[in-house]
Structure formats: C-alpha cells, structure tokens
Amino acid sequence: MSQGKGSRDTLVIFLGLALVAIIGSWSFIRFARDQSSSQNQPDSSARQKTATDLRTISLQTLQDIVLEKQSDKDVRIVDMRPTSLWADEHIIGSENLMLEDAEQNFHPTDAEKSQNWIIVAPSTSAAGQLVALFRARGIPDDRISVFDGTYESWKEKTGLVVHRADPTSALDVTKITLVSPEEAKERIGRGGQWFILDTRSPDLFAGGHIAGATNIPFAEIETRRRIIPSTASILVYGANDRESFAGGVLLFDLGFFNTITLSSGFDEWKTKNLPVGK
C-alpha cells in the first residue's frame, strides 16, 4: 500500500513539474512576442515627439513679421505648396520651396544658416520632413519655426497675400487707377513727394526711362519693397499696358494704395516725347 502511495506522489510531482514547465514556456513565448511587437512598432512617446518637436509660430507673430512690425528683417518664409499654386498667390514676401526641390537643390550657405526660417506647410507631417532636412543641412534648431496653420487659414484670417494679376478680373481692375502719360506728367508736376517705379529690366531702364524713376524689376519688387516710401505718391509703369497693370496690382497687394498706374507703359510715354531720363 505504501508502494502505491509512493507511486501516486511521484505522479503528482511529475504533473506539477510539467505544469510549471508549460506555464514557463507560455510566458516566455508571450514575452518574446511582445518584445518583437514593440520593436516593429514605434513607441507612442516617440511618435508624440515627432509630432510636437517643432518650434511653432503663431498667426499674429507671422502677421507682425509680414507687416514689418518686428525689427528682425532677416527672415525667410518658405511655402511648401506646388510652385504653380504659389505663383498664383502666396503670402507677402514668401518664397516657394517644395520638399522634393529642397532635397535636391537646397544647400544653404553659412549666411543662410544664420537666417530665421519660417515654414508654411500643408500638414504637420510635411513640415516635419522639411525641418529634418534643414537640420541635416546645418540650419540650427533655433533658426527654424513652423507656422501654426496652413496657407488657406492665413489667407482666410489675414488676406495678406499677393495674387497673379489678371486683366480680366473685375477685382484686379478695381485695385488700380489708370492714368494716361499726359495725366501722369501733369500730376507729378503739381509737386509733392513722388516715387516713380520702373518695373522693367535694368537693361531697358538704362536705355531710357521716365525722368526721376527708380528701377526695381518686377520679380524683385516683393523682396525690395522696403525701399518704396509708404508716405509717397507712386507712379508705376512697365514697358507696356500689360506690365504696367501687373505692377499696379502687385503694389496694391503689398499695401501701397496711393498709387497711379501708367495706362500704356513707357513705350507710349516715349513716343509722346515726354521727359525721359538717361
């Protein structure tokens, strides 16, 4: 009888050890599976860091910069939208820099690395990619900010955008005051502070221009707008009526409202033997 009891005890011990082994194996398998899963999936804190590790700039601060209420003029505003959309309209003073173009062609100089960069992106993800590229190309973190919004929200809330001039647009037509060469000469002759803006190329300007004019080629007006006196009356013209119209619309969008636009451009001014500078 004692022999039978000993056999039962041995069986119980064996079954207990087997159960412990099974539980241990199962726990090991679960641990290994969990470890593998955690390695294959980004940690939630890492994902959160990716989404929030961006220095943001508010709409009000960006608006102050665009309107030049802040003293820091060494700012670059980059718009990541497709170039065609940027060309149609964009934030005043911004430049276009798509991610794919930046990856291939953006190699900042030492001077550019010291500038302050503001990114206007369609999404946080896109902004993060450009920020990472800027960092990799040597721009310090404290020189990079991301606008806390999109181009669309900026346009809706501020309206501070530049449009491509459209002579068929009723809105653009209302932005300018057209004057004939004779009327422009007569108005300037009345005296007062005038700034005459020639938007043609430097070569054409050197070949002759309205007496007293300053040459700022059309493509440079936004970046050089600070030299245009905000308190002066402005006469703007290009080579012809189309160029003059574009210049007038651009000045309106930039906030120069006391502007008259030469209806026919310099070509007609010259044919009427009005005062020309050399």
Side-chain angles (χ1 to χ4, degrees), residues 197-202 214-222 224:
L197 176 58
D198 185 316
T199 68
R200 298 174 302 153
S201 70
T214 298
N215 180 225
I216 306 178
F218 181 82
E220 301 176 14
I221 292 176
E222 272 188 79
R224 297 175 61 188

Side-chain angles (χ1 to χ4, degrees), residues 15-195:
L15 291 175
L17 290 174
L19 182 61
V20 170
I22 292 172
I23 293 173
S25 299
W26 174 245
S27 298
F28 177 80
I29 293 171
R30 287 188 59 187
F31 174 78
R33 185 183 62 189
D34 292 344
Q35 285 293 100
S36 176
S37 177
S38 65
Q39 291 175 359
N40 292 332
Q41 295 182 4
D43 181 72
S44 60
S45 62
R47 291 197 303 270
Q48 183 67 18
K49 183 177 181 181
T50 300
T52 60
D53 190 23
L54 301 173
R55 296 177 69 252
T56 59
I57 184 171
S58 69
L59 182 141
Q60 184 60 60
T61 301
L62 181 55
Q63 182 171 319
D64 288 346
I65 291 172
V66 169
L67 294 177
E68 299 177 354
K69 292 182 180 179
Q70 294 187 357
S71 59
D72 185 4
K73 295 182 174 63
D74 198 20
V75 175
R76 304 278 292 273
I77 303 171
V78 294
D79 184 331
M80 294 183 67
R81 295 178 302 142
T83 302
S84 59
L85 295 180
W86 178 87
D88 284 339
E89 59 176 36
H90 54 265
I91 296 173
I92 293 174
S94 68
E95 57 192 277
N96 182 233
L97 185 62
M98 296 174 61
L99 180 61
E100 50 267 39
D101 292 335
E103 289 173 338
Q104 297 179 18
N105 305 314
F106 182 67
H107 302 284
T109 63
D110 289 341
E112 289 174 327
K113 291 175 183 177
S114 67
Q115 291 180 308
N116 295 306
W117 295 81
I118 300 173
I119 298 171
V120 180
S123 67
T124 302
S125 174
Q129 293 180 70
L130 190 57
V131 168
L133 178 64
F134 277 13
R135 290 170 176 166
R137 300 286 166 85
I139 299 178
D141 281 356
D142 62 358
R143 293 290 183 179
I144 309 171
S145 300
V146 175
F147 172 50
D148 187 18
T150 62
Y151 172 78
E152 288 72 21
S153 64
W154 168 270
K155 178 182 177 182
E156 177 184 356
K157 295 176 181 178
T158 72
L160 296 174
V161 299
V162 172
H163 300 81
R164 188 199 300 271
D166 179 4
T168 66
S169 165
L171 176 60
D172 281 355
V173 169
T174 64
K175 292 178 180 180
I176 66 173
T177 300
L178 291 174
V179 297
S180 67
E182 293 84 0
E183 184 179 357
K185 178 179 179 298
E186 191 273 331
R187 288 200 188 194
I188 293 171
R190 295 176 193 169
Q193 183 185 9
W194 280 90
F195 184 84

Side-chain angles (χ1 to χ4, degrees), residues 228-240:
I228 303 174
S230 59
T231 57
S233 298
I234 301 170
L235 168 66
V236 61
Y237 69 91
N240 49 50

